[in-house]
Amino acid sequence: MQHELVRRAAGIVPVLRAHAAWGDEHRRLHEGALEAMADAGVLRLRVPAEHGGHEADLATVVEVIAELARGDGSAAWTAAVWAVSTWVVGQFPEEVRREVFAKPDVRVTGILSPTATAEPVGGGVLVNGRWAFTTGAPQSHWTTNAALLAPDRVPVALAIPLVDLEVLDDWHTTGLRATGCVTTVAKDVFVPSDRVLRLAPVLSADPGASAPMFRAPFVPAACATVSAPAAGLARAAVEVFAAGPSASPARIREATVLADEAEFHARRSAAVVDHKAACGEEWTAEDRAGVRRDLGEACLRARDAVDVLDGDHPTLRRVRRDAHALNLHAILHPNASLERYGPVFLGRPKEP
């Protein structure tokens, strides 16, 4: 199934490219792009098999999302966040999973920084607060946003329909414009108890899970997932530049090496997570720092690749802006990853 999903993703690259300029202008993904992603099975990558999903391993996820980025960086980033948040839904009780996954190709986004509060009330909690940078919120159906549960301020994940939240139109950027990473706001939103999940177990590995994808801890799995758009953008830049009238063989060679390196780091992080999940191996500080290192290096190599290929082609300009936007993300910034990896490299490991 891995090869089939990657083949389908590669097959919709022309569709994504055709709609990318529209998305850049309107700051959201074109409906044609969304339909193509759904038809290709992209939205079910991390949906459990028991709910009709592909339950794909990370190697597949990375390859698929990298293909999407060859067509449109915004589509790839949004698909990556939807895949991560869909995985979080898979941790909720069965009745919640059934409710969310009842909608075919459901789009789930989420912010796991607990920037809201949840006050216990009869049958659930009352949620107030806001979450910045909620990817794809205008085109999503559910969120897994996090909050601090009173009175002890325990972090929890909340399964909330998007219709229950206010969506602020505050995503005005130069890169990844169509991702719609807007602010979502909860004002006295009631969330039933079964849709409130303590965050700590979600973030930890579950060696006893029947599905291998739930045996991996959240952060390494998420890091591997979001490294894929960088790898795909580097490849897109090479393809667009090579097809142009001013293609320089020397610059193509240099950028191709950098794109290959970005892919290597993205694939290696996915392989590590998949291997440890399959074998049930424990995660060490070195393992976690290594995945963060690979994430940062994938983003850095992708940025360097697009910078080598200067030109006035509108697609190349958009790819460059998207790659630079990735490198400004708090988690993806290469320096942030090196800060996690440095102490381990120097023999002073600490938990990332």
Side-chain angles (χ1 to χ4, degrees), residues 163-187:
V163 295
D164 291 348
L165 300 178
E166 180 183 357
V167 177
L168 305 184
D169 184 14
D170 59 359
W171 181 247
H172 302 277
T173 62
T174 58
L176 297 174
R177 288 172 54 81
T179 59
C181 297
V182 299
T183 298
T184 49
V185 181
K187 296 179 179 178

Side-chain angles (χ1 to χ4, degrees), residues 180-263:
C181 297
V182 299
T183 298
T184 49
V185 181
K187 296 179 179 178
D188 291 332
V189 173
F190 175 75
V191 179
S193 297
D194 61 353
R195 291 206 247 120
V196 180
L197 188 65
R198 287 182 177 260
L199 199 52
V202 174
L203 301 181
S204 303
D206 180 7
S210 58
M213 75 175 186
F214 292 122
R215 297 179 200 152
F218 172 84
V219 172
C223 286
T225 303
V226 297
S227 69
L233 282 168
R235 189 63 61 197
V238 172
E239 292 172 356
V240 173
F241 184 82
S246 59
S248 162
R251 280 193 284 172
I252 291 173
R253 285 195 296 270
E254 182 180 355
T256 297
V257 170
L258 290 166
D260 287 346
E261 291 175 354
E263 288 181 351

